Every structure is written in C-alpha cells, then in structure tokens.
Amino acid sequence: MRSEFIATVRRFNRTVTQRVGALDDQYMSRDRPLAQARVLWEIGPDGAEVAALRARLGLDSGHLSRLLRTLEGDGLVTVGPADRAGGDGRVRVAALTEAGRAEWAELDKRSDDLAWSILEPLSEQRRERLVAAMAEVERLLVSSMVVIEPCPPGDPRARACVRAYAREVAQRFDEGFDPALSNPVRDEELLPPAGVFLLATLNGEPVGCGALKLHAGAPAEIKRVWVADSVRGHGIGRRILAQLERHAADHGWTAVRLDTNRNLTEAIALYRAAGYQEIAPYNTERYAHHWFEKRLAP
C-alpha cells in the first residue's frame, strides 16, 4: 500500500472527527458522547434488536451492553425480550422511552443544524462539490466495509442469498427459472476440498454470494454469483469473482469457466471485463446462452 495513501486517509479521518465533534464529551451540546448518541439514533422510534444493533454498528457485545446500560440509567432506553409474553427470551430488543423519543427528535434537529453549519460557509458551487464528494466517499467506504469470506452453503445466510438469486433470475429469464430444471449445485460440491461458497456481508447482513466447483481433471466452475441491489455498483461482484478465481488457482487449477443467460447483461459485461473468453458450450444447462473460460496464473 502506498504510504501517501495511508497518510491522506489518516489526515481525512482527523479532519472529519474534529469537524463533526466526534471528540467532544457532549456531542452536539447534549449530555452524552457520540457513541451513546449514535446508539440512541440507531435504536430509533421503532426500536431495534440488540444483535442487529451490534452488527450494524460493528460493536462488541460488552461495549454495546455498557452503552445501553448508560442509556437505560438515563431513562432514555429500555432493553428486554422481544416477546414479553413468554417468547424466545434470547432475542433482546432495545426501545426508546418517551424521554428517549424526545431526545431522538432533538438529535435529529441538531444533526440537520450540524450539516447546515458545514455547508453554510461555502459558495453554492463548493457546496455541490462537497456533497458530491461526500456521496462518493460514502459509496467507497461502504464498499470497503463489505466482507467476503467462505461460508458453509447450508448456513441460513447462504440459503437466503441463493433464494434471492433464484428470485431475481426468475424475473429476468425469458422462461423464468426453476432450480429443479437447472444443472444441480449440491452442498457437498461447495465444501472443501470439493469447492467453496463465498458469502458477502455488510454489517453482518448477507449482500452477495458466489460458488466454485473444483472439477477433477477439468477447469473449475463458477456458479451462483449474485449481489444485492443495495450494494450494486460497489465492485462487490468483481471482488467475489476474483476471490473465486484465486481459490481455484491456489488449489492448482489453471482455468475456470462458467455459463450465463443472455438477459444477465451486467454479468456478461463483468466477465468480459475480467478477462473471460467466450467458448463453445461445455454443459447442457437449460438456461445458459453463453459459456466463458479464463486462464489462471499460478
């Protein structure tokens, strides 16, 4: 990594934390620091499961528990089982009290005021430049927050991604999509050493997937590459593809191939941009119109 990149990121972080008041013990002139204010904001008027809060904010259990206890002690939050009538007590929910809702509304107002204080000194042209730059930074930061790692194909999050993939292609394929009519992708084919299933998550929530079969005596095969609408355009599909290729190369395969439907134009463009060459059909996949292969560097 280039040293000037690291220095620029560190300088940017220092400027932002100072400008938004992240260093203040009384964030936005309230009686609590930023961490407590952020937790209060994320709970919101509708409440939130504690586990979802932890994933969304990237906090460990102990730190979040301490923040919630402080907010409870201030009379702003209550924490208890999701079903107080005797349901699963392991699912805990944080909810705002009446005082908490009033504080949330005040934070909302002061957040608008803070945003205006950042924009107000600038000319209209510079405001537009800053807002556009912020949107781009946010997009790139979200991209950097997506984690892609191996996951058992039977994991509920993996299953959710495959179902989402099937729903989407069913809408886009000319004749719909019936998994029973497609070439099978069995769980045991996606477990090491036979293959791998990659899961992409953002704040703990599944947002993409891809699978690889390591065929003996033949090129490896990529299957079920899918990315959620919420992170499309963030380069997640390309990252999944690259990691699947790297997995194949690391295990000794010199080529990888895949098939796709003519209606998946974005996927076709991705494959071609990533160096895949169109080849003759190598299987009898009912829904395929294009077949691609790529040679891999060791």
Side-chain angles (χ1 to χ4, degrees):
M1 184 68 69
R2 292 166 57 178
S3 60
E4 61 266 33
F5 284 7
I6 300 296
T8 299
V9 170
R10 292 182 59 182
R11 189 166 55 249
F12 175 82
N13 289 344
R14 290 194 299 270
T15 301
V16 170
T17 53
Q18 180 179 355
R19 186 63 184 86
V20 302
L23 305 178
D24 297 340
D25 288 336
Q26 296 184 327
Y27 182 62
M28 289 196 289
S29 300
R30 306 304 287 167
D31 292 333
R32 59 197 52 83
L34 174 59
Q36 293 177 23
R38 181 63 190 276
V39 170
L40 185 74
W41 173 264
E42 290 294 339
I43 293 170
D46 296 329
E49 289 187 7
V50 172
L53 277 176
R54 186 168 61 248
R56 194 156 67 235
L57 294 173
L59 299 174
D60 65 64
S61 299
H63 188 194
L64 179 59
S65 293
R66 289 190 293 273
L67 292 170
L68 287 172
R69 282 199 299 271
T70 299
L71 293 172
E72 280 188 289
D74 291 343
L76 302 175
V77 167
T78 61
V79 179
D83 184 354
R84 297 177 186 273
D88 189 348
R90 294 172 297 179
V91 180
R92 298 169 65 239
V93 170
L96 300 182
T97 63
E98 183 176 350
R101 287 191 292 273
E103 182 64 15
W104 187 94
E106 184 63 25
L107 279 175
D108 186 39
K109 175 183 177 300
R110 294 191 181 215
S111 295
D112 281 349
D113 293 342
L114 175 60
W116 172 243
S117 74
I118 294 172
L119 295 170
E120 194 275 333
L122 305 177
S123 67
E124 186 63 25
Q125 183 181 36
R126 286 178 176 270
R127 289 173 189 168
E128 291 176 358
R129 287 174 56 192
L130 178 58
V131 169
M134 284 178 164
E136 177 68 2
V137 168
E138 180 190 17
R139 188 182 72 83
L140 294 172
L141 286 176
V142 168
S143 299
S144 75
M145 291 165 62
V146 173
V147 176
I148 302 172
E149 56 191 357
C151 175
D155 186 287
R157 300 169 301 167
R159 296 280 195 231
C161 281
V162 172
R163 288 195 299 270
Y165 163 88
R167 286 194 299 271
E168 178 170 341
V169 297
Q171 293 173 349
R172 298 187 63 178
F173 289 2
D174 294 332
E175 52 185 311
F177 178 71
D178 183 349
L181 300 178
S182 180
N183 288 353
V185 182
R186 302 181 181 90
D187 283 359
E188 57 268 24
E189 297 177 297
L190 308 180
L191 291 170
V196 69
F197 186 95
L198 295 182
L199 180 71
T201 58
L202 175 61
N203 297 327
E205 294 298 317
V207 293
C209 65
L212 181 76
K213 296 182 180 182
L214 296 174
H215 297 297
E221 185 177 18
I222 289 175
K223 304 294 292 184
R224 305 295 189 258
V225 175
W226 173 80
V227 175
D229 285 339
S230 60
V231 293
R232 286 204 180 146
H234 290 256
I236 306 307
R238 184 178 291 273
R239 284 176 57 192
I240 292 172
L241 194 64
Q243 286 193 214
L244 292 172
E245 294 169 2
R246 188 158 57 249
H247 185 90
D250 288 347
H251 287 76
W253 267 254
T254 59
V256 64
R257 61 190 178 185
L258 55 87
D259 62 68
T260 192
N261 186 279
R262 63 189 169 206
N263 291 321
L264 301 181
T265 54
E266 307 93 328
I268 293 171
L270 169 63
Y271 301 142
R272 287 179 170 150
Y276 285 75
Q277 302 295 320
E278 193 151 5
I279 59 173
Y282 65 83
N283 62 17
T284 57
E285 172 56 56
R286 173 190 180 99
Y287 298 104
H289 301 103
H290 299 275
W291 291 260
F292 291 94
E293 184 171 293
K294 179 179 180 179
R295 306 302 298 180
L296 301 175

